[in-house]
Amino acid sequence: MQKALHIKPELCTGCLQCELACSYEHEGLFNPSMSRIKVFEFEHGRHTVPYTCTQCAEAWCMKACPTEAIHLDTKLGAKLVVESACVGCKACTLACPFGTIEFNPVSGKVDKCDLCGGNPKCVEACPTAAITYIDADSTGYDRMRSWAERTHLEVSQ
Amino acid sequence: MTWQGSVLRVNLTEGSYVVEPLNMEWANDYVGERGLGSKYLVESIDPKVDPLSPDNALIFATGPLTGTMASTSGRYAVITKGPLNGAIACSNSGGKFGAEMKFAGYDLILLEGRASKPCYLLIEDESISFEDAEPIWGQSVWKTEEWIRNQHNNPKLRIASIGVAGEKGVRYASVINDLHRAAGRSGVGAVMGSKNLKAIAVRGTKGVSVDNPKRFMEVVRETKALLANNSGRKDMTEHGTNSMLTTMQEYGSLPTRNFREVQFEGFDKVDANAMEETDDSGHRNLITNKACFGCTIACGRIAHIRQDHFTIINRREYWHASGGLEYETAFAFGPAVGVDDIDALTFAGYMMNEHGMDPISFGVTLAAAMELYEMGAISKDDTDGVELTFGNAEALTVMAEKTGKFEGFGQILGLGSKVLCEKYGHPELSMTVKGQEFAGYDSRALKGMGLGYATSNRGACHMRHDVFAEDYDDSSPEGKAGPCKDSQDRIAAMDSSGLCVFVTTAWGIEEFAVQLDAACDGTWTGDRLLEAGERIWNLERLFNLAAGFTSADDTLPPRLLNDPAPTGIRKGTLAELDRMLPEYYDLRGWTNDGRPTAETLARLGLN
C-alpha cells in the first residue's frame, strides 16, 4: 500500500522540529533553510501550517524536466530528483503549482521531498502528530469519520 | 563544533563591523548565551559606565545548543549593563530569532557605541549592512517587523526590535522578537534605543553542526521522550504557565495590590481556567498554544480579545489573535493591580509586545502608583485625569499604552517603581530588589524565593533560582540557603546552553550535560556545568560589586520583612531574610559583607 504525508495544521505548534529533522537527514546538519518541508505562520502565529510536496500522481515537475532527472519511485509514490541528471535549469520550479520543488544554490540542483525512502524524518520529529505518514487512500479518513460521528449524533437525538 | 566560532563586533559610532573568532577558552569556561555574553560584557566595558551612554555594550548571545534539534533550542540572551538599576542585565528570549542568528554564522553579536542616526542592522549570512531606520523610528515593534520584511522583500527575515518605549528610554523596555517573544527584563530595549538601533534583521542559511551527530541524535531522542512523558510538561502544554496563578493563590503567595495582600479574590477570573472558558457570547480568550523554535513543550499562548470589549470596540486593528497571558503577565496586570478583567489584561499584554516593555516591571510600577494615588501622594493632576485606583481596568490599559508610547504620566511610570516611589516621597512602597520589580511570588510564604530575589544579580527575579519544592514543603527559613545557591548555579549553566529552563520539569543538569557532551568538543559533565554556573554567578556578582552595589543591596522591601502575610495558609509569616543570608554567603564562599573570598575566586579561575 502506498503511503502519503498527512498534515493536520491545527495540531502544529510551529516548533520547526520537522524542518530540523529534514535538513539533518538530507544535509547532515541542522539548517531549516535547506528543509524540504516548511512551516508557515499566519496572524501572529495563530495558524502554523507545515507544507511540502504532495507527490502528485501526474507530477508537473517530472513532466517539465528536460533532462528526465525526476523519476517516479513506484513503490513509495515519491518523485525523486536524480542529482547527476539535474542541470539546475529550474523548469520544474516554474511548473510546480505548489512551489514545493526548489532550487538549491549550494548544490546547483533542485531539492524536493523524497519521503526519506519511506521513513519520513519530519513525521518522527513532530511532537504533536501534526504530520503523519499514512495509507495514501486514507488522508481524508479522520475528517470523514468526524462528519460521520456528527451525523450519527444528529440522527440519534 | 556546535559553536559557530564567530563573533560579530559592531561599532555603531563608526558604522563598521568586524567578524572575530570566538574566544574558545571563554566558551569552555562560560559555555554560551548568558555566561559567555556576560564574560564578553565584563571584558568590554567599565562596570561604572552610564547604561544609556555609548560606552555601554549590548550583546546578543546564543548558546552551543541554540539552533540544534535539542528541545527548546531557540534561546538567545541579551546582555548589557541595565538602565533600570545599573546591575548586569541578562534577558533571554525564545521565538525564532536566536536560532536564525546562529544559522547566519554568529554565536554573539556585540554592539558598541551609538549610531549618529536611527539605523537597523541587516544580516544575511556574511552580508552585513547598516540600514536607515528613520522611516520606522517612532513606530511599534509590530509595524517595524512588517516594514523591514517589505523593505527587503524578504519574508524569511527574523527580527528583534524595539518600540517607542525602547527609543525613549523606558527603564524596563524590552527587545521583542517574532512579534511577541521578549528579552523582557531589566531594560535591555532601552540600551538598544540609546544606541539608535531600531532592529536587527537576520536571515541565516549556514546551519549548525554538532561534534558527534549520531550520538547527539540518540540523546536528543531520549531527552525529548523524557519531556514528552512528563506530567509537568503536559500541564504546561495544555494550560501554559498561568496555571501557576491558582497555585500561588492556594499558598497565599500571590502578591496583590502592590503586595499589601497575598491572595486575590478575583484570581479565578484571570487564571488559566478563565482563559480556557467559553463565555456567554461564545468567546474564549485562549485560541491555541504555540512553540518557540525547536520546542516540544509549546507553553506559549495565542489569545484574542472580545471584539465588544472597551479596549478594542472601536479599534479593529486589535481584533486579531496575538500572544496571550503567561503567568507573570497575568500576575502583574491582575492581582498586582487588583484588576480581574481578562480582556483588559490581554490588551495590556498586547501593548507590552507591540511597544516593547516588560510586563512585570510595568505592572508592579503601576501597582505602586495606584497605592500612591489611593494614599493621596499623587492625584488626577499627575495621572492625566485617570482614576488610578486598584481594580480599575481602564487605568491599566490606558497607562500600558501611554507608557509604551511615552506619553503623559506614562513617562513617569516608565522610570520604574523605585524612582516613582522616591519621587513621591514613599520609597518604602517600591516592591523591588536592587531597583528591579518583583515577579509574582510573595517571599513571606515562599522563603527560598525571597532569598533568591534578594541575591539575584539582576535585581528581583524569579528565574534565577528554583526553590519551589523546598518552599512548598514548609515556610521555614531553615534549609533554604543551600537549595537556593545550588539552583542559582544550576540555572546559570542552563541559561548558558541555548535551551529553556522550562525543560527542568523533566530534566536535571545531567540531561543538559549529555546533550552538550554530544554536541561540543571535549567532555561535558553535570559537575563541569555546575562549576561553570558558579563561575558565571560570581562573575556577575563581581561586576555588580564593581558597579557600586554592596551587601546592603541584598535585601527586601520593609513590607515583606515587617508586615506579616495577612491571609492564606502561611498567614502571619515574614520573609526572615536575616535567617538565611549569612548561611548563603558562607555557602557561596563569600565574606560577611558579600564579597567572594580570594580562595573562591581562585577555585573558579576568576582571580
Side-chain angles (χ1 to χ4, degrees), chain A residues 88-151:
Chain A
C89 73
K90 311 181 191 71
C92 56
T93 68
L94 298 171
C96 174
F98 307 105
T100 51
I101 184 161
E102 284 208 87
F103 182 65
N104 176 339
V106 177
S107 64
K109 318 279 180 183
V110 292
D111 287 334
K112 68 178 289 301
C113 172
D114 59 4
L115 296 176
C116 298
N119 180 20
K121 299 299 175 188
C122 53
V123 171
E124 199 178 294
C126 180
T128 62
I131 312 166
T132 50
Y133 191 51
I134 64 172
D135 289 346
D137 66 0
S138 301
T139 54
Y141 191 82
D142 284 350
R143 208 174 294 173
M144 205 168 161
R145 189 181 185 285
S146 76
W147 280 102
E149 187 178 24
R150 261 204 237 189
T151 311

Side-chain angles (χ1 to χ4, degrees), chain A residues 12 15 17 30 41 43-44 48, chain B residues 96 208 224 290 294 321-322:
Chain A
C12 173
C15 74
Q17 281 278 342
F30 305 114
E41 288 188 22
E43 197 187 337
H44 284 224
T48 46
Chain B
K96 315 233 155 93
V208 171
K224 281 201 287 199
K290 288 294 164 186
S322 193

Side-chain angles (χ1 to χ4, degrees), chain A residues 26-57:
Chain A
H26 295 100
E27 313 292 335
L29 79 173
F30 305 114
N31 189 354
S33 76
M34 307 282 264
S35 174
R36 293 120 194 249
I37 185 165
K38 293 201 190 304
V39 181
F40 295 87
E41 288 188 22
F42 304 95
E43 197 187 337
H44 284 224
R46 173 182 187 161
H47 306 287
T48 46
V49 186
Y51 204 78
T52 189
C53 175
T54 56
Q55 316 293 353
C56 308

Side-chain angles (χ1 to χ4, degrees), chain A residues 56-93:
Chain A
C56 308
E58 288 190 44
W60 278 269
C61 61
M62 199 159 71
K63 290 186 172 173
C65 180
T67 63
E68 296 185 349
I70 300 174
H71 76 90
L72 170 69
D73 178 326
T74 47
K75 187 163 157 281
L76 294 178
K79 312 299 170 299
L80 307 178
V81 179
V82 181
E83 284 232 346
S84 57
C86 175
V87 296
C89 73
K90 311 181 191 71
C92 56
T93 68

